[in-house]
Amino acid sequence: MKAQEVIRSIEAEQLKSDLPVIHVGDTVKVGVRIREGGKERVQPYEGTVIAMRNGSINETITVRRVFQGIGVERVFLVHSPRIESIKIIRRGKVRRAKLYYLRDRVGKATRVKQRFDRSL
């Protein structure tokens, strides 16, 4: 076996199979495992997916939300063991692969139209 094949086989074991189909523009709720002291809990993080990157084990999504008037973006490794769950709240209708223009928008201008032809 070549080194590349060994790496692919190890990565294949780590891939999650229960993930929903995520698209840019969707509003998602990501359950993130957080360790505080000796305890572990799941903290939900809800926002709009503004970017998706790569495939395979390195797949990431960038989720943006406004918290107390400040825009906060987090990049999540989709196949990470820290991610408990990803739930799609609503589908967004967008015409771009990256929604970085939402960073410059404030208030109601940040809304994304809802898409009804895809199921949740």
Side-chain angles (χ1 to χ4, degrees):
M1 247 180 164
K2 294 187 174 136
Q4 204 68 21
E5 294 172 11
V6 173
I7 291 170
R8 274 198 207 102
S9 66
I10 293 171
E11 285 179 355
E13 295 170 10
Q14 304 295 322
L15 291 175
K16 291 184 182 178
S17 59
D18 59 340
L19 293 174
V21 178
I22 305 167
H23 297 280
V24 173
D26 294 351
T27 301
V28 296
K29 184 180 280 189
V30 181
V32 185
R33 284 194 189 109
I34 300 214
R35 287 186 61 96
E36 292 176 336
K39 296 179 185 173
E40 191 172 279
R41 66 182 178 89
V42 178
Q43 182 182 47
Y45 186 88
E46 187 173 336
T48 305
V49 177
I50 63 167
M52 293 182 69
R53 190 180 145 280
N54 275 345
S56 181
I57 196 85
N58 296 319
E59 186 177 356
T60 63
I61 57 172
T62 304
V63 181
R64 178 179 175 82
R65 71 186 271 199
V66 176
F67 182 72
Q68 296 181 351
I70 299 170
V72 180
E73 291 180 11
R74 282 184 72 177
V75 179
F76 295 105
L77 258 170
V78 174
H79 297 286
S80 169
R82 289 250 178 255
I83 303 298
E84 173 81 21
S85 62
I86 298 177
K87 188 172 189 300
I88 297 172
I89 306 298
R90 66 192 287 262
R91 296 284 185 185
K93 186 177 183 181
V94 294
R95 297 169 66 175
R96 304 219 176 315
K98 305 277 192 270
L99 304 181
Y100 295 142
Y101 66 88
L102 291 179
R103 293 172 176 166
D104 302 328
R105 307 263 173 111
V106 178
K108 288 187 177 179
T110 61
R111 288 181 300 183
V112 175
K113 282 188 180 178
Q114 190 164 356
R115 184 176 189 147
F116 294 102
D117 60 341
R118 289 187 186 140
S119 64
L120 291 178

